[in-house]
Amino acid sequence: MGIDNELLTEFKARFDANSTNQVIKGAIAKVGIDDASLDNNVLRRHPFEFSNETKRGAITNQQSSGRCWMFAALNTARVDTMEKLDMDSFEFSQNYTLFWDKLEKANYFLDSILETLDEPQNSRIVSHLLMDPVQDGGQWDMFSGLLEKYGAVPKSVMPETFHSSNTRKLNSVLTSKLREFACQLREDHKAGSSLNELTENKETMLYFIYTVLVKALGEVPESFTYTYRNKEGEYCRINEITPQNFFKEYVGWDLTSLVSLLNAPTEDKPFGRAYTVKYLGTVKEAKPIQYINVPIQVLKEAAVASIKDAQPVWFGCDVGKMLVRDSGIMDEHSYNYELTLGEGSGLTKAQRLDYGDSLLTHAMVFVGVDLDEQGQPLTWKVENSWGEKSGKKGIYSMSDKWFEEFNYQIAVDKKYIPEKWLKALDEPIIELEPWDPMGALALVK
């Protein structure tokens, strides 16, 4: 059945019969759906005062790049570095980790192409691999693998370049070339080339990617000397140290003790099991991405315990939902869409995942929480990486209900997680398909 004039006439009559529609129509046309729907009381619900806070550094800015997951991880790690170096603030080089992430993703992609040579070119898995082989985004375990292999360096050791802060053109060049390389490998396979020959060709291809990265992002240091001033203004020097040793000595994390908790309340992912996603990773030889799916209350309690212990918490969420960006507020009632549009969203968290209405899109850091008299969260203090122009000089406030609805993942030390949930890591890990919602990457700018 199509749309005919009779149906359109009925629609217009129904719309015109409600005089409120005329007022709302004018307001939305003038300022847009969100501003016309904004609940101004949301500002009163978020005083930006928190009962428990961790230490944090100065607000960072990922600029025009999708490196939020890197910024969030490094901003979490730097708290320990600030303590060890006796500094008020400190910033790691996000360009350094970006370089290695791009090179490792290129290698991961080419290896995946070699693993799927016998798949039809139009198969779903090959199409998925070709879609976006070297984008900016990532998840916690992907960054953990980079830290384990390459360590980290202060920002002054490998500062930003044009393309580290503006990655779109770099990504376009790399993506186009990687698709060409994929075509060459598959065509050579059809022509009878051996796997050894294809692997040798892959290394030549990878060298090209390396040269582009050096030209765009700069050479990565094998070792460096770092000079700084501590809180007392005293001049300090760390002589010739490798990035790996700098991370071990001045962050000191046991990366094996950091666990990723997931909240995906869908029927196909029972709680209390560990999951991974096929063909998702950065460092090929690193441990596979894995997360334990648990009820949302487990995420909350682990995050609160970590914050109380002065440890900030990396997390991944769907940041665009009910976000008042200028004010830095994430609240489930930020906008009265049911009043301006006639209906709000009627989907549950599980239904949003199942029907493609929500994904993990952005990573940030919990640096505080406001607890009521019973110790239950009211609001969460969030450190973002979009500079100081949004929020309260870069700090955001999240309602606890928003946490429940749109937060999907946190990374915490396993000491904050009850043993009953950690047992999932001793069982076989369930593999999810590459296009599963839990394979989504944090990359919102």
Side-chain angles (χ1 to χ4, degrees), residues 31-51:
V31 300
I33 291 175
D34 278 356
D35 281 354
S37 307
L38 181 67
D39 176 7
N40 283 320
N41 287 322
V42 74
L43 301 175
R44 299 182 182 182
R45 296 195 293 270
H46 292 265
F48 283 79
E49 298 294 341
F50 306 89
S51 59

Side-chain angles (χ1 to χ4, degrees), residues 22-36:
Q22 304 304 321
V23 176
I24 296 173
K25 178 179 71 173
I28 290 177
K30 184 68 176 179
V31 300
I33 291 175
D34 278 356
D35 281 354

Side-chain angles (χ1 to χ4, degrees), residues 58-78:
I59 291 297
T60 55
N61 194 336
Q62 67 192 75
Q63 303 289 342
S64 297
S65 73
R67 297 174 292 167
C68 59
W69 59 297
M70 292 184 181
F71 274 75
L74 292 173
N75 287 347
T76 304
R78 67 175 170 172

Side-chain angles (χ1 to χ4, degrees), residues 263-266 349-356 358-359 408 437-438:
N263 178 244
T266 52
K349 188 174 188 177
Q351 290 168 339
R352 285 193 292 271
L353 287 170
D354 284 339
Y355 286 84
S358 186
L359 290 170
Y408 291 111
M438 293 305 100

Side-chain angles (χ1 to χ4, degrees), residues 59 74 80 115 132 145 156 199 238 243 252 306 333 342 366 398 430:
I59 291 297
L74 292 173
D80 290 315
E115 292 169 11
D132 207 358
S156 59
T199 301
I238 299 173
S306 183
H333 295 305
F366 287 126
M398 175 194 298
I430 299 173

Side-chain angles (χ1 to χ4, degrees), residues 268-270 273-277 289-291 293 429-430 432:
D268 63 329
K269 299 181 184 69
R273 295 298 305 271
Y275 298 85
T276 189
V277 179
I289 287 172
Q290 59 185 26
Y291 7 68
N293 196 24
I429 297 177
I430 299 173
L432 302 175

Side-chain angles (χ1 to χ4, degrees), residues 397-415:
S397 178
M398 175 194 298
S399 73
D400 188 56
K401 182 63 175 175
W402 196 99
F403 185 120
E404 292 181 8
E405 293 295 324
F406 304 114
N407 195 26
Y408 291 111
Q409 187 180 1
I410 67 170
V412 292
D413 194 290
K414 60 185 178 183
K415 66 184 178 182

